[in-house]
Amino acid sequence: MNKPAALTPETFKPLLKLLMTDPDGFGAQQAYEATYHLATEGGCTPAQAASFLTALKLHNKEDMPEIIAACAKAMREHAIKVDMSGVISEFPVDIVGTGGDGHDTFNVSTSAGIVAAGAGARVTKHGNKAATSTSGSADLLLALGCSLNIPPTEIPELLPTTPFIFFFAPLYHPSFAPIGPTRRALPFRTIFNLLGPLLNPGYPRGMVVGVADKTLGPSFAEGLRLLGVERALVVCGKEGLDEISIAGETWAWQLENGVIRNVTLHPTHDFGLPVHPLSTVRSSSPEANASLLLDLLTPGSSSSGAKLGDGKNDPEAVRDYILINTAALLVVAGNAPNWKAGVQLARASMENGKAKQALEAFVKAGKEHGVKVHW
């Protein structure tokens, strides 16, 4: 795609006019150029940005895979780059959800990333603090004693020492700042709410991505393919959950060898695990979630559960919730040949202390290369 020759409100006008008057003629190239304007200080006015985001939604453009991929590509090019040459021979993976599903469940993606790292995967997790839930990935990691402000330039030095790395989104995406006030002023979610999972600065080769809306599944899978992701699993629990559900079936779109196929996953049939109500895997404060996760990752430890909302979560249910999502990530990473084998590897990682060692390695790396801060 060709970058815009100039980035001013005047050069943005023709793109906005085309989207408004001839939406069928507004394709991936135009979306790429328009996003470049939005990501550039002074590239457009707030009114133009709001009009663009509104028009994308009204013309049903923001759910099109080529538009999603084009916007993500533009934002990726504005991100702080990370030298990942130290893992060039490995297969870095990420597991992340779009958020906004309204279920506010336990931090399963971050937990699964840590457990998968303990099972031998190279995990390069990308995330942020909570926006719509009680505890986001960054909130949980802070509660676990991790540092989030490791300079991007020091990441290469960490790679040999820790199989789990976390990229704290605000450090890598300064281009989100110009559009931030406009996004917050709009009373609806925009395409920028969908782009986060696609902007990992480590450019993972494999991804498990959760979406809260089934209709987004095919678009996200195709978007990942267009962005060059080699293997992926896009998932949507049938409750509208942006994770693999522990409560029942999950719609999934599996990308491998450039081909996307639809599958349906079930905790028992595919992973060999019992079904649990989502009420047993609710989230709590970051501190409570961190305490439970540490219990689950400590060999010989027995958690009694923690009071969450109006009831109590079930540590066994949380464990199984982590196991199925970790298993999926291990399959995508190439560490496990199938879902049930992934569960076995994940369980071993939790029970033999390898997952906790992966977490401790990242905590240690943060102490040596960054200063723990409270955001």
Side-chain angles (χ1 to χ4, degrees), residues 35 67-77 191 195 198-199 227:
T35 305
I67 300 297
I68 293 173
C71 294
K73 186 176 187 299
M75 296 304 294
R76 279 183 169 199
E77 293 175 4
I191 193 170
L195 295 182
L198 306 178
L199 302 182
L227 288 169

Side-chain angles (χ1 to χ4, degrees), residues 94-98 109 194 196-198 206-212 217 220-221 224 229 232-236 241-244 251-253 329 332:
D94 188 11
I95 177 169
V96 62
T98 57
S109 292
L194 305 179
L198 306 178
M207 294 189 72
V208 175
V209 179
V211 296
F220 252 82
L224 290 170
V229 174
L233 188 71
V234 179
V235 299
C236 178
L241 183 70
D242 68 338
E243 313 283 359
I244 301 177
W251 293 297
W253 297 264
L329 186 58
V332 168

Side-chain angles (χ1 to χ4, degrees), residues 4-199:
L7 294 162
T8 69
E10 284 302 310
T11 58
F12 186 74
K13 282 182 179 180
L15 293 167
L16 184 57
K17 182 177 180 180
L18 178 65
L19 176 59
M20 296 293 291
T21 61
D22 183 18
D24 290 340
F26 188 92
Q29 176 63 39
Q30 290 74 30
Y32 172 79
E33 293 179 22
T35 305
Y36 242 85
H37 280 79
L38 266 67
T40 303
E41 191 76 47
C44 63
T45 67
Q48 288 176 324
S51 297
F52 171 71
L53 294 174
T54 301
L56 271 185
K57 180 173 286 289
L58 291 178
H59 291 301
N60 298 314
K61 287 285 186 178
E62 64 180 14
D63 294 344
M64 298 174 65
E66 62 272 24
I67 300 297
I68 293 173
C71 294
K73 186 176 187 299
M75 296 304 294
R76 279 183 169 199
E77 293 175 4
H78 281 80
I80 302 297
K81 302 298 185 295
V82 180
D83 180 6
M84 297 297 290
S85 58
V87 295
I88 199 69
S89 62
E90 299 182 70
F91 195 89
V93 295
D94 188 11
I95 177 169
V96 62
T98 57
D101 63 11
H103 289 288
D104 198 15
T105 56
F106 189 84
N107 295 103
V108 70
S109 292
T110 307
S111 302
I114 294 168
V115 175
R122 162 61 69 179
V123 180
T124 53
K125 182 88 174 74
H126 178 232
N128 208 335
K129 291 178 69 66
T132 59
S133 62
T134 305
S135 176
S137 54
D139 303 296
L140 176 69
L141 290 171
L142 278 174
L144 288 167
C146 301
S147 173
L148 303 185
N149 68 332
I150 300 171
T153 54
E154 296 192 23
I155 292 296
E157 190 176 342
L158 304 187
L159 295 176
T161 66
T162 173
F164 176 86
I165 290 286
F166 182 75
F167 301 125
F168 184 44
L171 293 183
Y172 295 88
H173 302 291
S175 57
F176 269 73
I179 193 63
T182 299
R183 291 177 60 205
R184 290 190 290 272
L186 294 175
F188 52 82
R189 291 168 66 83
T190 72
I191 193 170
F192 277 81
N193 294 94
L194 305 179
L195 295 182
L198 306 178
L199 302 182

